[in-house]
Amino acid sequence: MRYYLLFSIPPGEFVDSNLTGTFYMVADNPLGPFSAPRALWADSVKRLYSGKLVQGPDQIWYFMSWRNFALDGSFLGDISEPLPITVDEEGNLIVLEPAMVH
């Protein structure tokens, strides 16, 4: 079993970049040690922030997040649609955007 710790950070706090969004670390034990931080959903536009993983009634895990800004910089201020996630062979979480799902 793998354990995932999700967190959000403001721009400039992640490896000297302007990325912001939701990041995660992985461990084989709930108390760690945890891997180096990895981006789950991050960009410089601040589109999605403070993401969570939720399990749907279909038993599939989904990523949901606060929708902060649109690509044009306009404020949105609502919650994203549930986006399915998958886990690759190395244990990396991957958010499947709507275009990838169909």
Side-chain angles (χ1 to χ4, degrees):
M1 177 175 274
R2 313 244 21 217
Y3 297 88
Y4 295 87
L5 174 66
L6 274 66
F7 58 96
S8 294
I9 55 175
E13 296 294 321
F14 182 68
V15 192
D16 298 323
S17 78
N18 65 342
L19 295 179
T20 188
T22 302
F23 298 82
Y24 69 97
M25 299 186 319
V26 183
D28 293 324
N29 182 304
L31 300 177
F34 284 88
S35 69
R38 304 170 188 177
L40 179 59
W41 186 292
D43 61 29
S44 60
V45 181
K46 304 177 193 172
R47 289 186 299 161
L48 299 179
Y49 193 78
S50 194
K52 307 289 184 246
L53 299 182
V54 295
Q55 192 172 30
D58 55 6
Q59 303 306 304
I60 294 174
W61 285 93
Y62 294 90
F63 174 73
M64 293 184 72
S65 184
W66 170 256
R67 288 191 340 138
N68 207 21
F69 294 101
L71 286 174
D72 66 5
S74 60
F75 180 70
L76 297 171
D78 61 6
I79 304 297
S80 71
E81 66 182 280
L83 300 170
I85 64 162
T86 188
V87 181
D88 70 12
E89 313 79 49
E90 289 90 39
N92 297 306
L93 297 175
I94 301 167
V95 176
L96 300 176
E97 297 185 54
M100 296 171 64
V101 175
H102 297 80

